Amino acid sequence: AQSVAQPEDQVNVAEGNPLTVKCTYSVSGNPYLFWYVQYPNRGLQFLLKYITGDNLVKGSYGFEAEFNKSQTSFHLKKPSALVSDSALYFCAVCPDFNKFYFGSGTKLNVKP
Amino acid sequence: DVKVTQSSRYLVKRTGEKVFLECVQDMDHENMFWYRQDPGLGLRLIYFSYDVKMKEKGDIPEGYSVSREKKERFSLILESASTNQTSMYLCASSLTGGQGNQPQHFGDGTRLSIL
């Protein structure tokens, strides 16, 4: 069965510190990988995706993600967190035509 | 910029009612999706459509149906609403590209309460 795991319900980080939000997956084949962010009372916004090539992908708002095929992981990172980064983050994989599987979400809290 | 519009932000209905949730996208996307979002469960796919009048069941289609009569509009129907369908419903659309390498674009959601 296809699955996406975000092992941390919540991540707390101080403003200016680096942040990591973890994602691992178990799907067949070589899936496409995505990160989305959701602010309160809003839909999900696309941050970045990995299709192929360089394992480090850069996206919106200074976020990047590192793909590790052997560990089947796709962790979201940012070198210096901002208070405005506080939101709910979702990892998603797409193993086949247009069907996405989402993780349960990780709430990021960035404290001033 | 892609815009996906869901007709209602908040909706309150009664058990047994037939409920319609509407979604419209303005970017000529082929694919449209309906999800429900529940705390701790992430997003779960209810139905999706890759063309007008076409539909495919997602992971949790029971108790729901959909309609896509025009390319820009995708409706979710709760045939007889029940309290366990109280949730946040999210609509999304995407272009057809390769094998799913196109991101999905989401509406702001409809928070539905069934009393």
Side-chain angles (χ1 to χ4, degrees):
Chain A
Q2 323 281 19
S3 67
V4 179
Q6 292 182 240
E8 301 152 318
D9 290 336
Q10 188 166 296
V11 169
N12 299 310
V13 65
E15 188 173 33
N17 284 359
L19 69 88
T20 299
V21 182
K22 295 179 181 176
C23 173
T24 59
Y25 61 91
S26 174
V27 298
S28 54
N30 296 311
Y32 300 107
L33 304 165
F34 298 78
W35 275 101
Y36 286 83
V37 60
Q38 185 180 34
Y39 298 101
N41 298 315
R42 301 296 303 274
L44 277 67
Q45 295 178 31
F46 168 70
L47 272 181
L48 51 80
K49 67 180 179 183
Y50 174 82
I51 304 299
T52 187
D54 194 349
N55 289 344
L56 188 65
V57 179
K58 293 190 185 300
S60 306
Y61 312 120
F63 283 93
E64 55 192 26
E66 187 170 15
F67 170 64
N68 187 316
K69 187 172 182 178
S70 62
Q71 296 184 4
T72 60
S73 67
F74 189 54
H75 299 333
L76 181 70
K77 302 182 183 217
K78 188 172 183 181
S80 179
L82 299 172
V83 172
S84 57
D85 293 330
S86 298
L88 190 57
Y89 290 80
F90 288 95
C91 178
V93 301
C94 184
D96 54 35
F97 185 71
N98 283 312
K99 192 169 181 184
F100 278 54
Y101 294 88
F102 286 85
S104 55
T106 298
K107 185 177 181 184
L108 174 65
N109 294 315
V110 182
K111 299 190 184 221
Chain B
D1 211 14
V2 177
K3 186 137 181 81
V4 179
T5 302
Q6 294 183 231
S7 54
S8 304
R9 293 297 305 274
Y10 301 94
L11 208 53
V12 179
K13 296 291 182 181
R14 295 203 174 276
T15 303
E17 279 192 71
K18 190 168 186 176
V19 181
F20 294 84
L21 303 183
E22 306 287 346
C23 175
V24 176
Q25 50 94 4
D26 67 356
M27 284 302 291
D28 204 35
H29 284 173
E30 295 89 353
N31 308 308
M32 296 189 75
F33 308 81
W34 275 107
Y35 295 90
R36 64 177 281 174
Q37 180 181 6
D38 299 288
L41 297 178
L43 276 69
R44 292 180 290 168
L45 182 64
I46 305 171
Y47 269 97
F48 65 102
S49 168
Y50 51 87
D51 202 352
V52 175
K53 297 192 185 295
M54 306 299 286
K55 61 184 179 184
E56 294 281 344
K57 290 181 180 179
D59 299 314
I60 52 164
E62 297 78 18
Y64 303 94
S65 62
V66 290
S67 172
R68 193 163 180 206
E69 297 296 317
K70 294 184 177 181
K71 191 174 186 180
E72 67 272 17
R73 186 179 296 270
F74 192 36
S75 303
L76 179 70
I77 303 153
L78 285 66
E79 298 291 343
S80 177
S82 64
T83 54
N84 62 12
Q85 292 178 309
T86 291
S87 186
M88 169 73 96
Y89 290 87
L90 292 168
C91 175
S93 72
S94 72
L95 280 170
T96 293
Q99 289 183 311
N101 62 358
Q102 296 297 325
Q104 296 188 358
H105 299 267
F106 284 81
D108 283 339
T110 296
R111 190 166 294 280
L112 175 64
S113 296
I114 307 296
L115 304 179

PDB file of all heavy atoms in Angstrom, chain B residues 67-99:
ATOM      1  N   SER B  67     -20.074  15.431  -9.956  1.00  0.00           N
ATOM      2  CA  SER B  67     -20.591  15.784 -11.272  1.00  0.00           C
ATOM      3  C   SER B  67     -19.621  16.739 -11.930  1.00  0.00           C
ATOM      4  O   SER B  67     -19.160  17.701 -11.303  1.00  0.00           O
ATOM      5  CB  SER B  67     -21.963  16.438 -11.138  1.00  0.00           C
ATOM      6  OG  SER B  67     -22.390  16.953 -12.378  1.00  0.00           O
ATOM      7  N   ARG B  68     -19.327  16.454 -13.203  1.00  0.00           N
ATOM      8  CA  ARG B  68     -18.491  17.378 -13.974  1.00  0.00           C
ATOM      9  C   ARG B  68     -19.093  17.514 -15.374  1.00  0.00           C
ATOM     10  O   ARG B  68     -18.740  16.788 -16.289  1.00  0.00           O
ATOM     11  CB  ARG B  68     -17.052  16.891 -14.050  1.00  0.00           C
ATOM     12  CG  ARG B  68     -16.133  18.012 -14.576  1.00  0.00           C
ATOM     13  CD  ARG B  68     -14.715  17.744 -14.285  1.00  0.00           C
ATOM     14  NE  ARG B  68     -13.862  18.812 -14.776  1.00  0.00           N
ATOM     15  CZ  ARG B  68     -12.594  18.636 -15.100  1.00  0.00           C
ATOM     16  NH1 ARG B  68     -12.043  17.448 -14.999  1.00  0.00           N
ATOM     17  NH2 ARG B  68     -11.889  19.655 -15.522  1.00  0.00           N
ATOM     18  N   GLU B  69     -19.969  18.487 -15.489  1.00  0.00           N
ATOM     19  CA  GLU B  69     -20.653  18.753 -16.756  1.00  0.00           C
ATOM     20  C   GLU B  69     -19.888  19.738 -17.623  1.00  0.00           C
ATOM     21  O   GLU B  69     -20.015  19.746 -18.851  1.00  0.00           O
ATOM     22  CB  GLU B  69     -22.063  19.284 -16.495  1.00  0.00           C
ATOM     23  CG  GLU B  69     -22.961  18.283 -15.778  1.00  0.00           C
ATOM     24  CD  GLU B  69     -23.209  17.044 -16.624  1.00  0.00           C
ATOM     25  OE1 GLU B  69     -23.445  17.191 -17.845  1.00  0.00           O
ATOM     26  OE2 GLU B  69     -23.151  15.925 -16.072  1.00  0.00           O
ATOM     27  N   LYS B  70     -19.087  20.593 -16.997  1.00  0.00           N
ATOM     28  CA  LYS B  70     -18.245  21.549 -17.711  1.00  0.00           C
ATOM     29  C   LYS B  70     -16.822  21.439 -17.189  1.00  0.00           C
ATOM     30  O   LYS B  70     -16.599  21.078 -16.033  1.00  0.00           O
ATOM     31  CB  LYS B  70     -18.751  22.981 -17.511  1.00  0.00           C
ATOM     32  CG  LYS B  70     -20.105  23.238 -18.123  1.00  0.00           C
ATOM     33  CD  LYS B  70     -20.493  24.700 -17.980  1.00  0.00           C
ATOM     34  CE  LYS B  70     -21.830  24.961 -18.657  1.00  0.00           C
ATOM     35  NZ  LYS B  70     -22.222  26.386 -18.558  1.00  0.00           N
ATOM     36  N   LYS B  71     -15.869  21.774 -18.026  1.00  0.00           N
ATOM     37  CA  LYS B  71     -14.472  21.575 -17.684  1.00  0.00           C
ATOM     38  C   LYS B  71     -14.065  22.353 -16.445  1.00  0.00           C
ATOM     39  O   LYS B  71     -13.262  21.877 -15.635  1.00  0.00           O
ATOM     40  CB  LYS B  71     -13.585  22.002 -18.860  1.00  0.00           C
ATOM     41  CG  LYS B  71     -12.134  21.601 -18.735  1.00  0.00           C
ATOM     42  CD  LYS B  71     -11.378  21.942 -19.987  1.00  0.00           C
ATOM     43  CE  LYS B  71      -9.959  21.419 -19.924  1.00  0.00           C
ATOM     44  NZ  LYS B  71      -9.199  21.738 -21.155  1.00  0.00           N
ATOM     45  N   GLU B  72     -14.629  23.530 -16.255  1.00  0.00           N
ATOM     46  CA  GLU B  72     -14.178  24.382 -15.173  1.00  0.00           C
ATOM     47  C   GLU B  72     -14.861  24.094 -13.833  1.00  0.00           C
ATOM     48  O   GLU B  72     -14.467  24.629 -12.825  1.00  0.00           O
ATOM     49  CB  GLU B  72     -14.392  25.858 -15.535  1.00  0.00           C
ATOM     50  CG  GLU B  72     -15.841  26.309 -15.655  1.00  0.00           C
ATOM     51  CD  GLU B  72     -16.413  26.111 -17.052  1.00  0.00           C
ATOM     52  OE1 GLU B  72     -15.815  25.342 -17.844  1.00  0.00           O
ATOM     53  OE2 GLU B  72     -17.441  26.748 -17.349  1.00  0.00           O
ATOM     54  N   ARG B  73     -15.879  23.256 -13.822  1.00  0.00           N
ATOM     55  CA  ARG B  73     -16.694  23.085 -12.621  1.00  0.00           C
ATOM     56  C   ARG B  73     -16.756  21.619 -12.202  1.00  0.00           C
ATOM     57  O   ARG B  73     -17.020  20.727 -13.012  1.00  0.00           O
ATOM     58  CB  ARG B  73     -18.104  23.602 -12.892  1.00  0.00           C
ATOM     59  CG  ARG B  73     -19.016  23.620 -11.691  1.00  0.00           C
ATOM     60  CD  ARG B  73     -20.393  24.171 -12.077  1.00  0.00           C
ATOM     61  NE  ARG B  73     -20.296  25.570 -12.502  1.00  0.00           N
ATOM     62  CZ  ARG B  73     -20.404  26.606 -11.681  1.00  0.00           C
ATOM     63  NH1 ARG B  73     -20.626  26.405 -10.398  1.00  0.00           N
ATOM     64  NH2 ARG B  73     -20.319  27.832 -12.140  1.00  0.00           N
ATOM     65  N   PHE B  74     -16.540  21.410 -10.895  1.00  0.00           N
ATOM     66  CA  PHE B  74     -16.567  20.045 -10.341  1.00  0.00           C
ATOM     67  C   PHE B  74     -17.348  20.094  -9.045  1.00  0.00           C
ATOM     68  O   PHE B  74     -16.964  20.802  -8.110  1.00  0.00           O
ATOM     69  CB  PHE B  74     -15.132  19.574 -10.116  1.00  0.00           C
ATOM     70  CG  PHE B  74     -14.961  18.106  -9.825  1.00  0.00           C
ATOM     71  CD1 PHE B  74     -15.767  17.155 -10.429  1.00  0.00           C
ATOM     72  CD2 PHE B  74     -13.964  17.663  -8.966  1.00  0.00           C
ATOM     73  CE1 PHE B  74     -15.588  15.796 -10.193  1.00  0.00           C
ATOM     74  CE2 PHE B  74     -13.766  16.306  -8.726  1.00  0.00           C
ATOM     75  CZ  PHE B  74     -14.582  15.387  -9.341  1.00  0.00           C
ATOM     76  N   SER B  75     -18.451  19.373  -8.994  1.00  0.00           N
ATOM     77  CA  SER B  75     -19.351  19.427  -7.844  1.00  0.00           C
ATOM     78  C   SER B  75     -19.243  18.151  -7.030  1.00  0.00           C
ATOM     79  O   SER B  75     -19.168  17.047  -7.592  1.00  0.00           O
ATOM     80  CB  SER B  75     -20.793  19.601  -8.320  1.00  0.00           C
ATOM     81  OG  SER B  75     -20.923  20.762  -9.117  1.00  0.00           O
ATOM     82  N   LEU B  76     -19.250  18.318  -5.724  1.00  0.00           N
ATOM     83  CA  LEU B  76     -19.294  17.179  -4.797  1.00  0.00           C
ATOM     84  C   LEU B  76     -20.669  17.142  -4.168  1.00  0.00           C
ATOM     85  O   LEU B  76     -21.181  18.169  -3.713  1.00  0.00           O
ATOM     86  CB  LEU B  76     -18.224  17.338  -3.716  1.00  0.00           C
ATOM     87  CG  LEU B  76     -18.164  16.244  -2.660  1.00  0.00           C
ATOM     88  CD1 LEU B  76     -17.649  14.930  -3.269  1.00  0.00           C
ATOM     89  CD2 LEU B  76     -17.264  16.652  -1.500  1.00  0.00           C
ATOM     90  N   ILE B  77     -21.263  15.956  -4.132  1.00  0.00           N
ATOM     91  CA  ILE B  77     -22.626  15.802  -3.630  1.00  0.00           C
ATOM     92  C   ILE B  77     -22.622  14.802  -2.489  1.00  0.00           C
ATOM     93  O   ILE B  77     -22.096  13.683  -2.628  1.00  0.00           O
ATOM     94  CB  ILE B  77     -23.558  15.307  -4.751  1.00  0.00           C
ATOM     95  CG1 ILE B  77     -23.498  16.294  -5.928  1.00  0.00           C
ATOM     96  CG2 ILE B  77     -24.993  15.180  -4.236  1.00  0.00           C
ATOM     97  CD1 ILE B  77     -23.804  15.680  -7.253  1.00  0.00           C
ATOM     98  N   LEU B  78     -23.187  15.227  -1.362  1.00  0.00           N
ATOM     99  CA  LEU B  78     -23.429  14.309  -0.256  1.00  0.00           C
ATOM    100  C   LEU B  78     -24.890  13.886  -0.382  1.00  0.00           C
ATOM    101  O   LEU B  78     -25.794  14.701  -0.204  1.00  0.00           O
ATOM    102  CB  LEU B  78     -23.185  14.989   1.091  1.00  0.00           C
ATOM    103  CG  LEU B  78     -21.733  15.217   1.511  1.00  0.00           C
ATOM    104  CD1 LEU B  78     -21.012  16.215   0.595  1.00  0.00           C
ATOM    105  CD2 LEU B  78     -21.665  15.680   2.958  1.00  0.00           C
ATOM    106  N   GLU B  79     -25.098  12.650  -0.734  1.00  0.00           N
ATOM    107  CA  GLU B  79     -26.448  12.192  -1.074  1.00  0.00           C
ATOM    108  C   GLU B  79     -27.414  12.289   0.099  1.00  0.00           C
ATOM    109  O   GLU B  79     -28.550  12.701  -0.060  1.00  0.00           O
ATOM    110  CB  GLU B  79     -26.377  10.746  -1.582  1.00  0.00           C
ATOM    111  CG  GLU B  79     -25.551  10.580  -2.858  1.00  0.00           C
ATOM    112  CD  GLU B  79     -26.208  11.211  -4.075  1.00  0.00           C
ATOM    113  OE1 GLU B  79     -27.430  11.502  -4.023  1.00  0.00           O
ATOM    114  OE2 GLU B  79     -25.525  11.427  -5.087  1.00  0.00           O
ATOM    115  N   SER B  80     -26.952  11.914   1.280  1.00  0.00           N
ATOM    116  CA  SER B  80     -27.762  12.006   2.501  1.00  0.00           C
ATOM    117  C   SER B  80     -26.782  12.266   3.638  1.00  0.00           C
ATOM    118  O   SER B  80     -26.168  11.337   4.160  1.00  0.00           O
ATOM    119  CB  SER B  80     -28.543  10.712   2.719  1.00  0.00           C
ATOM    120  OG  SER B  80     -29.272  10.776   3.922  1.00  0.00           O
ATOM    121  N   ALA B  81     -26.646  13.528   3.981  1.00  0.00           N
ATOM    122  CA  ALA B  81     -25.565  13.928   4.886  1.00  0.00           C
ATOM    123  C   ALA B  81     -25.667  13.228   6.243  1.00  0.00           C
ATOM    124  O   ALA B  81     -26.768  13.049   6.795  1.00  0.00           O
ATOM    125  CB  ALA B  81     -25.596  15.441   5.079  1.00  0.00           C
ATOM    126  N   SER B  82     -24.499  12.873   6.758  1.00  0.00           N
ATOM    127  CA  SER B  82     -24.440  12.273   8.088  1.00  0.00           C
ATOM    128  C   SER B  82     -23.400  13.018   8.919  1.00  0.00           C
ATOM    129  O   SER B  82     -22.513  13.698   8.371  1.00  0.00           O
ATOM    130  CB  SER B  82     -24.089  10.790   7.997  1.00  0.00           C
ATOM    131  OG  SER B  82     -22.799  10.632   7.458  1.00  0.00           O
ATOM    132  N   THR B  83     -23.489  12.874  10.231  1.00  0.00           N
ATOM    133  CA  THR B  83     -22.608  13.652  11.104  1.00  0.00           C
ATOM    134  C   THR B  83     -21.133  13.311  10.877  1.00  0.00           C
ATOM    135  O   THR B  83     -20.262  14.164  11.077  1.00  0.00           O
ATOM    136  CB  THR B  83     -22.970  13.438  12.577  1.00  0.00           C
ATOM    137  OG1 THR B  83     -22.962  12.034  12.863  1.00  0.00           O
ATOM    138  CG2 THR B  83     -24.358  13.999  12.890  1.00  0.00           C
ATOM    139  N   ASN B  84     -20.840  12.084  10.443  1.00  0.00           N
ATOM    140  CA  ASN B  84     -19.428  11.734  10.228  1.00  0.00           C
ATOM    141  C   ASN B  84     -18.864  12.341   8.931  1.00  0.00           C
ATOM    142  O   ASN B  84     -17.691  12.115   8.595  1.00  0.00           O
ATOM    143  CB  ASN B  84     -19.210  10.213  10.249  1.00  0.00           C
ATOM    144  CG  ASN B  84     -19.964   9.491   9.149  1.00  0.00           C
ATOM    145  OD1 ASN B  84     -20.493  10.104   8.224  1.00  0.00           O
ATOM    146  ND2 ASN B  84     -20.009   8.172   9.235  1.00  0.00           N
ATOM    147  N   GLN B  85     -19.684  13.109   8.249  1.00  0.00           N
ATOM    148  CA  GLN B  85     -19.193  13.840   7.079  1.00  0.00           C
ATOM    149  C   GLN B  85     -18.871  15.294   7.417  1.00  0.00           C
ATOM    150  O   GLN B  85     -18.534  16.087   6.534  1.00  0.00           O
ATOM    151  CB  GLN B  85     -20.203  13.764   5.933  1.00  0.00           C
ATOM    152  CG  GLN B  85     -20.325  12.356   5.365  1.00  0.00           C
ATOM    153  CD  GLN B  85     -21.361  12.249   4.266  1.00  0.00           C
ATOM    154  OE1 GLN B  85     -22.516  12.680   4.432  1.00  0.00           O
ATOM    155  NE2 GLN B  85     -20.978  11.665   3.140  1.00  0.00           N
ATOM    156  N   THR B  86     -18.981  15.629   8.691  1.00  0.00           N
ATOM    157  CA  THR B  86     -18.509  16.939   9.139  1.00  0.00           C
ATOM    158  C   THR B  86     -17.001  16.990   8.949  1.00  0.00           C
ATOM    159  O   THR B  86     -16.267  16.152   9.480  1.00  0.00           O
ATOM    160  CB  THR B  86     -18.858  17.163  10.617  1.00  0.00           C
ATOM    161  OG1 THR B  86     -20.282  17.303  10.741  1.00  0.00           O
ATOM    162  CG2 THR B  86     -18.181  18.405  11.164  1.00  0.00           C
ATOM    163  N   SER B  87     -16.534  17.974   8.169  1.00  0.00           N
ATOM    164  CA  SER B  87     -15.116  18.006   7.825  1.00  0.00           C
ATOM    165  C   SER B  87     -14.809  19.274   7.044  1.00  0.00           C
ATOM    166  O   SER B  87     -15.693  20.057   6.705  1.00  0.00           O
ATOM    167  CB  SER B  87     -14.759  16.785   6.968  1.00  0.00           C
ATOM    168  OG  SER B  87     -13.363  16.700   6.722  1.00  0.00           O
ATOM    169  N   MET B  88     -13.513  19.447   6.735  1.00  0.00           N
ATOM    170  CA  MET B  88     -13.083  20.470   5.783  1.00  0.00           C
ATOM    171  C   MET B  88     -12.954  19.786   4.423  1.00  0.00           C
ATOM    172  O   MET B  88     -12.286  18.745   4.313  1.00  0.00           O
ATOM    173  CB  MET B  88     -11.731  21.056   6.203  1.00  0.00           C
ATOM    174  CG  MET B  88     -11.091  21.924   5.145  1.00  0.00           C
ATOM    175  SD  MET B  88     -11.899  23.507   4.961  1.00  0.00           S
ATOM    176  CE  MET B  88     -10.837  24.506   5.998  1.00  0.00           C
ATOM    177  N   TYR B  89     -13.571  20.373   3.412  1.00  0.00           N
ATOM    178  CA  TYR B  89     -13.512  19.814   2.058  1.00  0.00           C
ATOM    179  C   TYR B  89     -12.696  20.740   1.168  1.00  0.00           C
ATOM    180  O   TYR B  89     -12.936  21.949   1.119  1.00  0.00           O
ATOM    181  CB  TYR B  89     -14.925  19.629   1.493  1.00  0.00           C
ATOM    182  CG  TYR B  89     -15.659  18.513   2.188  1.00  0.00           C
ATOM    183  CD1 TYR B  89     -16.379  18.746   3.356  1.00  0.00           C
ATOM    184  CD2 TYR B  89     -15.596  17.206   1.699  1.00  0.00           C
ATOM    185  CE1 TYR B  89     -17.021  17.711   4.018  1.00  0.00           C
ATOM    186  CE2 TYR B  89     -16.242  16.168   2.352  1.00  0.00           C
ATOM    187  CZ  TYR B  89     -16.952  16.434   3.513  1.00  0.00           C
ATOM    188  OH  TYR B  89     -17.586  15.398   4.165  1.00  0.00           O
ATOM    189  N   LEU B  90     -11.731  20.150   0.495  1.00  0.00           N
ATOM    190  CA  LEU B  90     -10.835  20.906  -0.367  1.00  0.00           C
ATOM    191  C   LEU B  90     -10.959  20.435  -1.803  1.00  0.00           C
ATOM    192  O   LEU B  90     -10.925  19.236  -2.077  1.00  0.00           O
ATOM    193  CB  LEU B  90      -9.383  20.731   0.084  1.00  0.00           C
ATOM    194  CG  LEU B  90      -9.013  21.349   1.433  1.00  0.00           C
ATOM    195  CD1 LEU B  90      -7.649  20.865   1.884  1.00  0.00           C
ATOM    196  CD2 LEU B  90      -9.032  22.856   1.357  1.00  0.00           C
ATOM    197  N   CYS B  91     -11.079  21.402  -2.700  1.00  0.00           N
ATOM    198  CA  CYS B  91     -11.094  21.133  -4.124  1.00  0.00           C
ATOM    199  C   CYS B  91      -9.728  21.513  -4.690  1.00  0.00           C
ATOM    200  O   CYS B  91      -9.092  22.474  -4.222  1.00  0.00           O
ATOM    201  CB  CYS B  91     -12.190  21.956  -4.791  1.00  0.00           C
ATOM    202  SG  CYS B  91     -12.243  21.831  -6.590  1.00  0.00           S
ATOM    203  N   ALA B  92      -9.268  20.777  -5.698  1.00  0.00           N
ATOM    204  CA  ALA B  92      -7.992  21.086  -6.339  1.00  0.00           C
ATOM    205  C   ALA B  92      -8.096  20.830  -7.834  1.00  0.00           C
ATOM    206  O   ALA B  92      -8.962  20.077  -8.293  1.00  0.00           O
ATOM    207  CB  ALA B  92      -6.863  20.248  -5.742  1.00  0.00           C
ATOM    208  N   SER B  93      -7.202  21.464  -8.590  1.00  0.00           N
ATOM    209  CA  SER B  93      -7.140  21.204 -10.028  1.00  0.00           C
ATOM    210  C   SER B  93      -5.690  21.123 -10.457  1.00  0.00           C
ATOM    211  O   SER B  93      -4.793  21.636  -9.772  1.00  0.00           O
ATOM    212  CB  SER B  93      -7.875  22.289 -10.815  1.00  0.00           C
ATOM    213  OG  SER B  93      -7.159  23.509 -10.797  1.00  0.00           O
ATOM    214  N   SER B  94      -5.462  20.483 -11.595  1.00  0.00           N
ATOM    215  CA  SER B  94      -4.102  20.401 -12.130  1.00  0.00           C
ATOM    216  C   SER B  94      -4.157  20.170 -13.630  1.00  0.00           C
ATOM    217  O   SER B  94      -5.148  19.678 -14.175  1.00  0.00           O
ATOM    218  CB  SER B  94      -3.306  19.281 -11.457  1.00  0.00           C
ATOM    219  OG  SER B  94      -3.758  18.007 -11.878  1.00  0.00           O
ATOM    220  N   LEU B  95      -3.035  20.512 -14.268  1.00  0.00           N
ATOM    221  CA  LEU B  95      -2.861  20.198 -15.668  1.00  0.00           C
ATOM    222  C   LEU B  95      -2.479  18.741 -15.808  1.00  0.00           C
ATOM    223  O   LEU B  95      -1.925  18.145 -14.880  1.00  0.00           O
ATOM    224  CB  LEU B  95      -1.728  21.035 -16.257  1.00  0.00           C
ATOM    225  CG  LEU B  95      -2.036  22.476 -16.636  1.00  0.00           C
ATOM    226  CD1 LEU B  95      -0.740  23.201 -16.964  1.00  0.00           C
ATOM    227  CD2 LEU B  95      -2.982  22.528 -17.816  1.00  0.00           C
ATOM    228  N   THR B  96      -2.738  18.180 -16.931  1.00  0.00           N
ATOM    229  CA  THR B  96      -2.228  16.854 -17.239  1.00  0.00           C
ATOM    230  C   THR B  96      -0.811  17.012 -17.781  1.00  0.00           C
ATOM    231  O   THR B  96      -0.590  17.738 -18.744  1.00  0.00           O
ATOM    232  CB  THR B  96      -3.101  16.167 -18.303  1.00  0.00           C
ATOM    233  OG1 THR B  96      -4.379  15.920 -17.729  1.00  0.00           O
ATOM    234  CG2 THR B  96      -2.484  14.863 -18.750  1.00  0.00           C
ATOM    235  N   GLY B  97       0.152  16.358 -17.130  1.00  0.00           N
ATOM    236  CA  GLY B  97       1.530  16.490 -17.580  1.00  0.00           C
ATOM    237  C   GLY B  97       2.309  15.270 -17.200  1.00  0.00           C
ATOM    238  O   GLY B  97       2.446  14.964 -16.012  1.00  0.00           O
ATOM    239  N   GLY B  98       2.824  14.568 -18.149  1.00  0.00           N
ATOM    240  CA  GLY B  98       3.640  13.404 -17.853  1.00  0.00           C
ATOM    241  C   GLY B  98       2.886  12.416 -16.990  1.00  0.00           C
ATOM    242  O   GLY B  98       1.729  12.101 -17.246  1.00  0.00           O
ATOM    243  N   GLN B  99       3.499  11.970 -15.929  1.00  0.00           N
ATOM    244  CA  GLN B  99       2.856  11.019 -15.043  1.00  0.00           C
ATOM    245  C   GLN B  99       2.594  11.652 -13.694  1.00  0.00           C
ATOM    246  O   GLN B  99       2.959  11.114 -12.658  1.00  0.00           O
ATOM    247  CB  GLN B  99       3.744   9.782 -14.889  1.00  0.00           C
ATOM    248  CG  GLN B  99       3.805   8.939 -16.137  1.00  0.00           C
ATOM    249  CD  GLN B  99       4.623   7.696 -15.909  1.00  0.00           C
ATOM    250  OE1 GLN B  99       5.730   7.762 -15.394  1.00  0.00           O
ATOM    251  NE2 GLN B  99       4.095   6.557 -16.295  1.00  0.00           N
TER     252      GLN B  99
END
